[in-house]
Amino acid sequence: MRIISGEYRGRRIRTTEGPGYRPATGKVRESLFSMLESQGVDWGGTRVADIFAGSGSLGIEALSRGAAEAVFVEKAAHAAALIRSNLDELGVARQRFRIVKGDAARWLGGDGTGSFGLVFIDPPYGKDLFLPALRLLLDRNVLAREGLLCAEVEAGLAFDAPPHPDLALLRDKLYGQTRICIWRRNQSASPSTPAPSTPSTTDT
């Protein structure tokens, strides 16, 4: 997999295989980061959390574009080791990243997690992990106020729009069997806030 833009543009990173791992294609990542940048992300001032990180492709792409720091949360030891290997091979400075090898829910519910201006969440399909993780990252203020939440979930996953009163939906798109949603956390958001409930479709 190649990094799309930024300091490490064109460099390759290795991905992992196995049940539950779905590295985002270059086309999906390019579209996703284009959507994020259209929301005015200031990479240099943004802390990023990549939850259910897999090979870390989303957090690494953010670091390449100048993100101040990225925290990668991944339960599988082999995947966490791959993230570190990818970062080391790219030469990313150690003070710019942290790898948490452990359960995402435990990390989200813990103390000292801090807050992030951008959170990627890409849970394994069919495990009903998205909504519990989302509630934790909002209830524990892991996602900062006015921060962006980007979720990659299965196309058929049903949830309210917005799935939490603090969120305002910005984008909702389908890429084959994958659904990408981007929300902004806003204090004024409420259950009555109107938001689209049907995703648009993008061909793969």
Side-chain angles (χ1 to χ4, degrees):
M1 177 182 293
R2 290 186 182 273
I3 297 171
I4 297 166
S5 185
E7 181 179 357
Y8 310 116
R9 179 179 180 179
R11 298 278 298 275
R12 291 182 182 273
I13 60 174
R14 289 175 293 158
T15 60
T16 189
E17 297 179 351
Y21 292 102
R22 310 167 314 280
T25 66
K27 181 176 180 179
V28 172
R29 282 183 294 119
E30 185 171 8
S31 178
L32 167 58
F33 278 85
S34 177
M35 288 188 283
L36 289 172
E37 291 183 347
S38 74
Q39 299 301 321
V41 174
D42 173 17
W43 292 111
T46 299
R47 295 182 74 223
V48 175
D50 189 351
I51 302 173
F52 306 103
S55 59
S57 62
L58 297 178
I60 290 172
E61 185 74 41
L63 287 171
S64 181
R65 293 168 189 247
E69 179 190 6
V71 175
F72 300 85
V73 183
E74 173 55 49
K75 184 176 182 179
H78 72 280
L82 182 60
I83 295 170
R84 179 170 295 279
S85 176
N86 280 328
L87 291 164
D88 287 345
E89 288 179 12
L90 290 170
V92 181
R94 289 293 179 94
Q95 64 267 26
R96 294 186 65 205
F97 69 87
R98 182 160 61 96
I99 299 170
V100 177
K101 185 174 74 67
D103 181 73
R106 181 173 297 178
W107 179 76
L108 287 167
D111 296 324
T113 301
S115 62
F116 297 83
L118 173 62
V119 174
F120 296 107
I121 183 167
D122 182 11
Y125 288 1
K127 302 292 186 181
D128 295 324
L129 296 174
F130 169 63
L131 289 176
L134 179 137
R135 285 191 290 267
L136 278 171
L137 69 90
L138 292 170
D139 293 346
R140 303 288 293 185
N141 291 313
V142 177
L143 180 65
R145 293 294 175 181
E146 304 299 327
L148 295 174
L149 170 63
C150 177
E152 180 179 336
V153 296
E154 56 264 50
L157 182 65
F159 49 76
D160 295 334
H164 190 285
D166 278 359
L167 295 176
L169 183 63
L170 303 176
R171 304 297 295 270
D172 187 349
K173 282 195 170 186
L174 291 179
Y175 299 83
Q177 298 303 308
T178 297
R179 182 179 184 182
I180 298 289
C181 295
I182 299 175
W183 295 273
R184 187 182 299 278
R185 187 174 192 185
N186 193 319
Q187 183 68 49
S188 64
S190 68
S192 60
T193 302
S197 58
T198 302
S200 57
T201 302
T202 299
D203 294 334
T204 56

